[in-house]
Amino acid sequence: MTEQTIRGEPTLRLGVSTCLLGENVRYNGGHARDRYVTDVLGRYAEWVPVCPEVECGLPTPRESMRLVGDPENPRLIMPKSGRDQTERMQSWIEEKLEVLASAQLDGFIFKKNSPSSGAFRVKVYDQNGVPQRTGSGMFAGAFMDRFPNLPVEEEGRLNDARLRENFIERIFAHCRWRHLLETDPTPGGLVGFHTSVKLALMAHSPRHYQDLGRLVARVGTVAWDEAAEQYESGYMEGLKVLATRGRHANVLQHLMGYLKDHLGSEDKQELLGLIEDYRQGMVPLIVPITLFNHHLARHPVPDWVHVQTYLHPYPRELMLRNHV
């Protein structure tokens, strides 16, 4: 039972490259266990492990493989023997994607540099044997094409504080969206959901917030399935835009408007000073957010403010806002 389940909240369901969990499935018979994946995110997630090489029938250990040819449609080759595993892998991928379509995933963490599971900048070798970091692994690329709304990341890129925070915010956001579709797939449910993510979207992409607001305003006149599909696409696309200090500061100043009649001049100056300190990169985001939560809990503000996912986008124990 995960910590999320203990709290009575929806539980993350994440696909993950099996080797990152410490399973000995790599070509050399080893693993690539990632402690952040297993020991930190593992507290909040149910894992759906996937190892394309093993699951398509290749042994462990095995000859290494590489992508060769056209980066848009490369072949999967074992360079030592020259064996071509492309058709074997493609056949398995078609079947696996059908299985994963019903797995209710909230995202996927891939193994970097893998010719099957690397998501970004995977080496593709040209006819002269010269590599260019222009490709995606065969399975990872097909997964992203099939499920464009699902957040994906590589374990190596999770070492970047901004990318890590963005990815984790998005997987929890998708989990809440999935929960809405399971519990209240109605126009009223969508209106309430959009209200709760208003500030989060403003911090990432004001354009997406405005576009989604127009969609929600006419949700009663559009077929539900169409409206939900359009909303999910725009919602996840908007959150993928990296939030900036400037947009965060604008959101915090927006929040100030609901407290200005309840705070004394010293408290106002303290909040405004921390917002500016954050904007200038002198303090992390957690500093003004903590003070805002303190004041919002003590003073009467509109109910919609209290339900903003922006204030609590993921478990505070992850401490991601200590670093952005």
Side-chain angles (χ1 to χ4, degrees):
M1 181 178 292
T2 69
E3 187 167 330
Q4 285 289 97
T5 304
I6 292 171
R7 293 177 174 185
E9 302 172 358
T11 302
L12 290 171
R13 284 184 58 80
L14 297 177
V16 63
S17 293
T18 305
C19 59
L20 298 179
L21 300 181
E23 298 295 324
N24 294 320
V25 294
R26 300 202 73 202
Y27 73 96
N28 59 5
H31 62 80
R33 180 176 180 178
D34 186 280
R35 296 288 181 177
Y36 188 80
V37 170
T38 59
D39 299 353
V40 179
L41 289 184
R43 297 165 58 198
Y44 308 98
E46 292 179 0
W47 297 117
V48 179
V50 179
C51 178
E53 288 86 353
V54 170
E55 293 182 32
C56 80
L58 295 174
T60 302
R62 58 187 170 274
E63 186 181 341
S64 63
M65 295 185 289
R66 60 171 56 169
L67 297 176
V68 177
D70 179 4
E72 297 299 320
N73 189 30
R75 308 295 295 179
L76 185 63
I77 305 296
M78 290 179 160
K80 184 176 180 180
S81 65
R83 286 184 291 177
D84 189 329
Q85 301 292 347
T86 308
E87 277 69 33
R88 177 202 288 257
M89 182 63 71
Q90 287 177 335
S91 177
W92 172 83
I93 288 172
E94 290 178 6
E95 295 181 3
K96 188 66 176 182
L97 292 180
E98 290 303 314
V99 173
L100 293 176
S102 60
Q104 298 295 301
L105 296 181
D106 297 308
F108 207 110
I109 302 175
F110 289 106
K111 177 71 187 81
K112 68 175 182 177
N113 297 330
S114 166
S116 67
S117 297
F120 314 110
R121 301 186 72 248
V122 176
K123 289 181 180 179
V124 180
Y125 291 78
D126 65 19
Q127 59 184 1
N128 298 316
V130 178
Q132 300 290 332
R133 288 193 172 275
T134 54
S136 295
M138 287 187 65
F139 168 62
F143 181 94
M144 292 186 288
D145 288 342
R146 176 68 181 274
F147 308 111
N149 294 329
L150 284 183
V152 302
E153 198 48 273
E154 296 177 334
E155 93 289 1
R157 285 164 46 102
L158 291 177
N159 293 319
D160 181 297
R162 289 188 73 200
L163 295 180
R164 179 173 65 243
E165 197 270 344
N166 179 261
F167 174 69
I168 292 176
E169 180 179 2
R170 286 187 290 135
I171 58 178
F172 277 97
H174 190 277
C175 184
R176 286 189 288 269
W177 172 253
R178 177 169 57 84
H179 184 64
L180 171 75
L181 295 182
E182 293 170 353
T183 60
D184 191 14
T186 65
L190 182 58
V191 170
F193 183 89
H194 183 66
T195 298
S196 73
V197 302
K198 170 183 176 179
L199 297 183
L201 281 168
M202 289 174 63
H204 286 271
S205 175
R207 178 180 67 82
H208 284 85
Y209 166 67
Q210 294 167 0
D211 290 346
L212 291 172
R214 286 190 286 268
L215 172 62
V216 171
R218 57 185 178 86
V219 65
T221 66
V222 180
W224 168 254
D225 288 347
E226 179 184 348
E229 181 179 350
Q230 290 180 13
Y231 190 91
E232 179 181 356
S233 178
Y235 175 52
M236 298 311 300
E237 182 181 272
L239 293 182
K240 190 175 182 179
V241 178
L242 290 176
T244 65
R245 287 184 178 272
R247 287 196 291 269
H248 275 304
N250 290 342
V251 168
L252 295 174
Q253 288 177 332
H254 183 79
L255 273 175
M256 275 285 293
Y258 298 95
L259 288 169
K260 63 181 181 180
D261 293 334
H262 307 291
L263 300 181
S265 60
E266 290 186 3
D267 286 336
K268 290 180 183 177
Q269 289 304 312
E270 182 182 25
L271 271 176
L272 288 171
L274 286 179
I275 292 173
E276 187 58 28
D277 285 348
Y278 168 72
R279 189 196 298 272
Q280 297 296 327
M282 298 172 62
V283 297
L285 183 58
I286 191 63
V287 175
I289 287 289
T290 298
L291 189 55
F292 264 101
N293 281 324
H294 169 74
H295 287 303
L296 291 171
R298 298 180 62 190
H299 300 289
V301 296
D303 290 341
W304 72 267
V305 174
H306 289 295
V307 301
Q308 291 303 299
T309 61
Y310 178 79
L311 296 171
H312 307 283
Y314 34 70
R316 65 179 183 178
E317 293 84 358
L318 290 171
M319 298 186 293
L320 298 172
R321 286 179 162 175
N322 294 43
H323 308 288
V324 297

